[in-house]
Amino acid sequence: MATLRAAQPPEPTLLDRVLEPRVLGSLDRVRLRVGHASGDRPGHTRVRSRDDPSGSELERHVAYSPGDDLRRVDWNVYARLGELLTRRFVAEREVPVWILIDTSASMGPIAPRSKLDLACAVAAILGAVSLAGGDRLSFAAVPGRLREARGPVQTVGPLRSRRDLGRLREFLTRLEPASGEGDLIAGLEQATRLVRRGLIVLISDFLFERPVLDGVLDVVARRRCEGKLVQVLSREDVDPDWLRGQHRLIDRETGEDYEIDPSVATWERYREALNAHLEDVRRAGLGRGMSSVVAVTDVGLERFVASELPRLGLSLVR
Amino acid sequence: MRFGLEHPWWLASLALVLPLIWLYLRPRVRPPAAVSSLRIWRRAVPRAEASTRKPRLPLLFFVQVALLLACAFALSRPFAWDEVPVGPPPDGVVILDLSASMQAREQGATRFAMARDAAVARVREIGARSPHQRFTVIAAALQPRILGSALTAEEAARTLGDLQPVDTAANMTAAVELAATRAGSEGSIDLFTDLAPQDLVVSHDALAATDIHRFGTSDDNVAIAGLEVFANPLEDATQKRVVVTVRNTSSGERTVDVELAPIAAEPDARESAASGEPGPGAVPVGAADPNPAAAAASSPRGTPLRRAVTLGAGASEAVVFTGIPWSGTFAARLHPDDAFPLDDVVYGNVPAPRPLQVLLVSDDAGLKNELSDLARRAGRVDLVTLPVAEWAPERAREVTIFDRFVPTLPPSGNVLYLAPPSGNGDVAVTGTVRGVKLAEIRDHELLRGMKGFDSLLTDSMSVLAAGGDLRPLALGTGEQREHALVVAGETGGRRVVAAAFHLRAEALRRADGLTALLFLVRTLRWLSPSQARAPLERLTGERLRASLRGQAPITRLEGPGGTRILAPTEEITLERAGVYRALGEREETPLLVSFMDAAESTIGRTAIAPAPPRERRPASVAPTAATVRERRPVLVPFLVSALALMLGEWLLIAARRFRAKSAAAGGT
């Protein structure tokens, strides 16, 4: 008996999954902590774990040492425990958060679980956490374009609360990779021209030549911002063994082709070259005080949030 | 060693290598593959290697090509071949003639001894000159025998030294041709014989390869060429005759004594003959008696009889001995002996006198009376008559005569049927016929020289059907057909005679009835059985079967040359003359083996100058014998290689897949 096969529903994108209310609800109690980044004006509500006597947020207790301000001794603790402990406070400042998404052609194509999809999903997570913490959040696609609007840089923000999630969703869902070769450095310059201090999270595959990489990182560093790099790679970027037999490789961004006759040795050398490149990116970031993580498209988002974001220095506090 | 292919057209399958090469080296359309960036690929694969490198054939390609080669060669049926000589390397072949004539004496030694010594000397001479030479020794007798091959000189000398002559002729043609096949085209043959080259009937090639060493020229020989004993139970003992035929083969007149001497237990005849002295069991021979009649008359029972006879050069004479006073085995011997004593003695047997036991089954009273009267007068026939109604198989005697009557079952013993009605198993009768006239009498001792045979015919006669073991002896015509009048033959070890007519009593009674009487006597004599325990008589060279029809099988033969055990179906050639004892399970029969061979007895040879033996090529030089291409298939190595290559191909493919999987797993 013939059966009618039900039409397969379209595969949901990673971004769609992140923006589900259930997932966003689970991120409500997550807070994003930054390192040395701070806002460029008072009142910025960004927290970090730095001792600041002017702060009002209790951070921890430390043993009393002679010379400490007696006003900070916690006498209640002394009454209970008989030990002299002093209270330490941190200052709360507003820090602007910039999430820059590389939408060059190398991040394509538009498809579920593509690099751009993963980049948008990561940006949405970070954005949702930031908005939950009341941060001033801005997005930029560099060099990028929306499906309806053309231009080297597309931005949205500043967003200040969860009420702005609709704008965030609209911005991210309309992102698409650029066609042709783009100038990432120029785009970054344009996108961050108004940025003064703060946190910049740059999401890209970082498959640049070394001068371009240095130029990109220098742009971030010149803004005196705390830089965080999220390197997004696809499974095809990581494992080249999907290439069997002779092929003509075409660069999505530049359109250049390159004929190869891959073998097992070729794959090994590719992996070695990729690892060396990742190490170059990591070292280049560290040299500028930027931490970096790698996200692969087929690795679950939960795993990324649980293991990779803390390594990035972005602590999720519950 | 060289190689060849049985089916070389399979090599055309090697053309499959070309498409295989094309499959590996063909320019392939590279499918495009979009990647995020070429940077990593450029870093991993330099352009020189990626796009401009030369086509590289993998190991798998070479394994597959080798597999194709192995399969193509295996299908072509490869073989290795080499020129190998046909048969073993040729030996020096030595033939020694063992024939009876080689026993002729030449100046104190026999020809055989001279030839044997010469052969031994020849072998040792060649052996001393060529230590690597090997020999084949062939004894030439009735059938040539190879006594040894690849023998050293000493072994060949020992083999030759052990040989003894035989009392038969020799098939020299077979011996020399056999030697020629053993010697090959480059071999040589040494023949030691008393034959002249012109007497050798051999191929030209064999004769060309043969060195004939000839011995003997003497023709001093008088031989006993024949011996015949005439005796039957119907005759008086004094009528027994022995006829000895003597032949002088020498070129001069010779006078010899012919002696008949009964032997009870003859010692080795050869020793007696060779020494010229009677054996220990022989009766001493008296002086020659010029009067044969007186000698016969004066010969007491058991004493030898002797006659002298003078023979011209090449003449033959029949010496007749009558009135033999003894019976039993005897030896006829010539005195004095000559250069060839073997043919001076032959052996015979004189049967002992014994009345013939005859049974007449007839209702004809006249015939019974006449035959009874005849038997009474002859005194050598024990006749019993019996009416037809009283016939019983157990009444049968040595000879049974059925007059116009046929028993249902043939009786034991010999039989004479007279005008039989419808026959039994012995003789087939198809009816009666009238007015038959005699047409033809065939040569047979029953009817030989008989006159007036047609007087025996009667008006009505039985129609005998000749066939089987009986053959017609007399034929008549009547009613426009030819009819057998008398048939005779041996069937089942019994002698049977059937006459289409019956014997009339008045024919036997009348004075002119000689024909009927003669027919009856001859028939009875032919039907008289051989004596019980009569010795077997054979000539040398004849075959003797262990099992003879109507006789107990011979299990053991004792005599010249020792004792020989015979298998039930064995047949042997009698090579030695003399008196043997043929022993069966229960009884013993003398076996008299005489030598009578006119060709061998003619020992005279034309003297020729001995030709020097040809120089023999040293055996250290490899002979160039005929060669043949010997093929050996070499299929197995190719099949094993093909299997190994198939396994290698599979391993390579499996290893490639395994590396790919490992790389994929390692990459993640």
Side-chain angles (χ1 to χ4, degrees):
Chain A
M1 186 176 67
T3 57
L4 292 177
R5 180 176 295 178
Q8 293 288 333
E11 185 182 2
T13 63
L14 296 173
L15 177 61
D16 293 338
R17 290 179 56 192
V18 168
L19 294 179
E20 287 177 1
R22 180 181 56 84
V23 179
L24 291 176
S26 68
L27 296 174
D28 280 348
R29 298 176 59 192
V30 177
R31 293 293 181 271
L32 189 62
R33 292 194 172 189
V34 298
H36 64 275
S38 60
D40 55 348
R41 55 191 175 114
H44 286 181
T45 56
R46 196 63 193 147
V47 295
R48 67 160 304 239
S49 57
R50 190 180 63 174
D51 186 20
D52 188 345
S54 62
S56 58
E57 187 77 12
L58 177 62
E59 184 189 24
R60 55 179 173 169
H61 286 84
V62 295
Y64 172 80
S65 59
D68 284 348
D69 190 351
L70 289 179
R71 289 176 299 175
R72 298 184 182 273
V73 174
D74 192 335
W75 297 108
N76 293 328
V77 172
Y78 179 75
R80 287 199 309 268
L81 304 176
E83 289 185 14
L84 282 175
L85 298 177
T86 58
R87 288 172 291 187
R88 296 295 174 94
F89 298 91
V90 293
E92 292 183 355
R93 296 177 183 176
E94 183 183 56
V95 176
V97 176
W98 284 86
I99 298 178
L100 309 178
I101 303 172
D102 177 10
T103 58
S104 62
S106 67
M107 295 292 284
I110 301 175
R113 297 182 179 274
S114 66
K115 286 195 287 187
L116 187 58
D117 184 24
L118 177 60
C120 291
V122 171
I125 291 173
L126 297 175
V129 171
S130 296
L131 290 177
D135 292 331
R136 189 170 58 126
L137 178 62
S138 297
F139 280 89
V142 183
R145 62 186 176 91
L146 301 179
R147 289 177 186 167
E148 291 80 15
R150 294 180 179 276
V153 176
Q154 300 296 330
T155 61
V156 63
L159 309 177
R160 293 187 180 276
S161 69
R162 299 290 288 275
R163 289 193 299 270
D164 295 328
L165 275 177
R167 294 174 62 192
L168 171 63
R169 174 196 298 266
E170 183 185 7
F171 176 79
L172 292 178
T173 51
R174 290 167 62 193
L175 282 181
E176 64 180 8
S179 59
E181 192 173 6
D183 188 351
L184 184 61
I185 298 175
L188 278 176
E189 287 283 4
Q190 182 184 353
T192 60
R193 66 184 185 277
L194 300 177
V195 175
R196 296 293 184 268
R197 304 178 67 90
L199 174 63
I200 294 179
V201 179
L202 179 57
I203 304 174
S204 171
D205 56 6
F206 292 102
L207 295 178
F208 318 135
E209 296 296 333
R210 184 59 189 255
V212 178
L213 176 63
D214 289 337
V216 167
L217 298 185
D218 286 345
V219 170
V220 177
R222 277 200 302 270
R223 301 294 184 245
R224 293 186 298 167
C225 293
E226 179 178 353
K228 304 295 181 186
L229 309 179
V230 178
Q231 190 169 9
V232 178
L233 296 175
S234 65
R235 176 54 60 188
E236 288 74 18
D237 293 335
V238 175
D239 288 330
D241 56 355
W242 59 280
L243 285 171
R244 294 174 185 273
Q246 296 178 335
H247 279 83
R248 185 165 55 90
L249 303 182
I250 299 174
D251 193 317
R252 285 197 183 96
E253 191 167 339
T254 63
E256 292 178 314
D257 61 354
Y258 197 71
E259 292 183 346
I260 63 165
D261 184 8
S263 63
V264 175
T266 307
W267 297 339
E268 292 296 328
R269 281 185 292 176
Y270 177 88
R271 291 192 183 95
E272 292 172 2
L274 178 64
N275 290 334
H277 178 72
L278 295 181
E279 184 64 17
D280 285 347
V281 172
R282 192 181 70 84
R283 289 180 183 277
L286 286 177
R288 293 167 177 84
M290 304 174 190
S291 56
S292 63
V293 295
V294 176
V296 182
T297 53
D298 59 350
V299 177
L301 279 175
E302 292 80 4
R303 182 179 169 188
F304 173 76
V305 172
S307 61
E308 298 298 328
L309 282 186
R311 288 173 54 194
L312 193 61
L314 301 175
S315 303
L316 293 173
V317 242
R318 294 177 184 274
Chain B
M1 182 178 297
R2 282 164 281 186
F3 294 91
L5 297 174
E6 202 164 328
H7 300 150
W9 52 86
W10 274 106
L11 290 183
S13 60
L14 288 178
L16 290 175
V17 174
L18 297 178
L20 185 64
I21 295 174
W22 180 81
L23 282 175
Y24 274 89
L25 299 183
R26 67 192 163 99
R28 298 180 186 182
V29 176
R30 296 169 181 265
V35 295
S36 300
S37 173
L38 290 178
R39 179 177 184 275
I40 309 300
W41 283 108
R42 286 198 180 102
R43 192 169 170 181
V45 186
R47 178 168 290 277
E49 180 186 345
S51 59
T52 62
R53 72 181 181 190
K54 295 178 180 176
R56 184 170 58 87
L57 292 171
L59 177 60
L60 182 60
F61 166 78
F62 295 103
V63 169
Q64 288 171 338
V65 168
L67 178 59
L68 267 176
L69 286 171
C71 290
F73 275 99
L75 289 170
S76 302
R77 299 285 186 89
F79 59 85
W81 63 273
D82 209 348
E83 297 276 0
V84 296
V86 178
D91 288 352
V93 184
V94 179
I95 308 172
L96 186 55
D97 184 1
L98 304 186
S99 65
S101 63
M102 292 292 284
Q103 299 180 44
R105 283 196 289 254
E106 299 279 348
Q107 300 166 349
T110 63
R111 296 175 181 177
F112 180 80
M114 296 163 63
R116 184 178 57 192
D117 294 346
V120 170
R122 173 72 171 156
V123 164
R124 286 186 170 144
E125 173 202 347
I126 296 172
R129 202 167 58 234
S130 304
H132 298 289
Q133 178 69 53
R134 293 294 179 265
F135 297 91
T136 293
V137 176
I138 295 177
L142 274 179
Q143 295 293 329
R145 294 195 300 267
I146 297 176
L147 302 179
S149 296
L151 303 175
T152 63
E154 205 50 43
E155 290 170 341
R158 276 199 302 273
T159 303
L160 288 166
D162 293 339
L163 285 176
Q164 292 295 329
V166 294
D167 300 341
T168 66
N171 188 344
M172 298 306 296
T173 301
V176 175
E177 294 295 346
L178 174 63
T181 61
R182 303 289 295 194
S185 60
E186 298 294 324
S188 62
I189 304 167
D190 286 292
L191 170 62
F192 297 85
T193 182
D194 61 348
L195 277 181
Q198 61 269 21
D199 295 332
L200 272 177
V201 184
V202 294
S203 65
H204 176 76
D205 290 343
L207 189 61
T210 305
D211 284 331
I212 300 176
H213 307 265
R214 189 179 149 201
F215 302 88
T217 57
S218 173
D219 65 348
D220 177 22
N221 186 32
V222 178
I224 296 178
L227 176 68
E228 198 166 6
V229 177
F230 296 91
N232 69 72
L234 299 180
E235 292 176 338
D236 187 79
T238 58
Q239 299 302 312
K240 289 185 288 190
R241 289 167 292 142
V242 174
V243 179
V244 181
T245 303
V246 184
R247 189 164 70 97
N248 178 17
T249 65
S250 65
S251 56
E253 183 182 275
R254 293 288 305 272
T255 299
V256 295
D257 286 342
V258 183
E259 177 195 88
L260 296 186
I263 50 177
E266 181 76 2
D268 189 355
R270 182 181 333 282
E271 293 174 4
S272 304
S275 63
E277 296 176 0
V283 178
V285 177
D289 190 343
N291 187 349
S298 64
S299 297
R301 192 172 188 83
T303 56
L305 305 177
R306 176 172 286 200
R307 298 280 176 84
V309 62
T310 299
L311 300 162
S316 297
E317 192 76 38
V319 181
V320 181
F321 291 87
T322 57
I324 308 299
W326 33 258
S327 60
T329 57
F330 67 93
R333 186 175 284 117
L334 298 181
H335 297 282
D337 58 5
D338 44 32
F340 188 43
L342 179 62
D343 59 3
D344 291 347
V345 182
V346 297
Y347 304 94
N349 180 63
V350 176
R354 185 174 61 86
L356 179 65
Q357 297 179 346
V358 179
L359 169 66
L360 172 63
V361 182
S362 175
D363 289 334
D364 187 344
L367 181 62
K368 288 196 276 190
N369 291 337
E370 290 300 324
L371 284 186
S372 298
D373 184 53
L374 181 65
R376 195 179 313 110
R377 282 187 278 121
R380 296 290 184 269
V381 176
D382 176 13
L383 178 68
V384 175
T385 61
L386 195 68
V388 170
E390 297 181 15
W391 159 252
E394 62 272 14
R395 306 292 294 271
R397 307 190 78 186
E398 287 180 342
V399 176
T400 304
I401 303 172
F402 293 102
D403 179 31
R404 286 162 283 182
F405 166 72
V406 171
T408 305
L409 295 176
S412 60
N414 299 338
V415 189
L416 168 62
Y417 294 102
L418 297 174
S422 181
N424 58 9
D426 278 341
V427 56
V429 178
T430 58
T432 59
V433 63
R434 289 181 169 277
V436 176
K437 305 292 185 186
L438 177 66
E440 178 186 357
I441 295 179
R442 294 179 175 171
D443 185 45
H444 191 272
E445 61 181 291
L446 272 180
L447 307 180
R448 189 175 296 144
M450 186 173 289
K451 305 293 185 186
F453 182 81
D454 52 350
S455 64
L456 298 177
L457 305 184
T458 56
D459 291 339
S460 175
M461 292 191 290
S462 300
V463 179
L464 305 177
D469 296 324
L470 305 183
R471 65 186 185 93
L473 306 183
L475 297 172
T477 55
E479 298 181 355
Q480 300 179 344
R481 290 185 60 190
E482 192 174 58
H483 301 280
L485 301 178
V486 178
V487 294
E490 289 193 18
T491 173
R494 301 157 50 244
R495 285 188 169 183
V496 175
V497 177
F501 49 84
H502 67 274
L503 291 178
R504 290 165 295 185
E506 60 273 17
L508 294 172
R509 195 181 314 125
R510 284 202 308 262
D512 56 352
L514 182 60
T515 304
L517 187 61
L518 192 60
F519 173 76
L520 182 62
V521 171
R522 284 190 176 187
T523 302
L524 290 177
R525 188 169 63 188
W526 191 73
L527 291 175
S528 62
S530 58
Q531 280 187 300
R533 300 173 58 84
L536 299 170
E537 296 181 59
R538 296 286 189 278
L539 294 178
T540 55
E542 288 183 347
R543 309 280 290 172
L544 175 70
R545 290 178 61 87
S547 297
L548 296 176
R549 193 163 64 174
Q551 295 182 359
I554 301 169
T555 58
R556 191 155 52 104
L557 197 62
E558 295 178 357
T563 300
R564 183 163 183 178
I565 306 298
L566 300 183
T569 58
E570 191 172 357
E571 187 175 272
I572 62 170
T573 300
L574 299 167
E575 290 188 329
R576 307 275 180 179
V579 180
Y580 293 79
R581 296 170 63 204
L583 297 106
E585 292 293 335
R586 297 193 187 92
E587 59 186 17
E588 171 185 340
T589 306
L591 170 62
L592 308 178
V593 181
S594 301
F595 172 81
M596 282 187 285
D597 188 321
E600 290 295 315
S601 293
T602 308
I603 61 173
R605 303 287 188 264
T606 305
I608 58 171
R614 284 175 290 189
E615 276 302 314
R616 192 179 296 265
R617 183 179 53 208
S620 55
V621 179
T624 55
T627 59
V628 66
R629 284 186 176 185
E630 186 181 78
R631 285 185 174 190
R632 284 185 294 103
V634 285
L635 187 62
V636 173
F638 288 96
L639 290 178
V640 172
S641 302
L643 287 174
L645 288 167
M646 288 172 70
L647 180 63
E649 180 190 25
W650 180 83
L651 287 175
L652 281 175
I653 294 174
R656 176 180 287 186
R657 290 179 178 170
F658 177 76
R659 279 200 302 269
K661 284 185 177 178
S662 301
T668 55

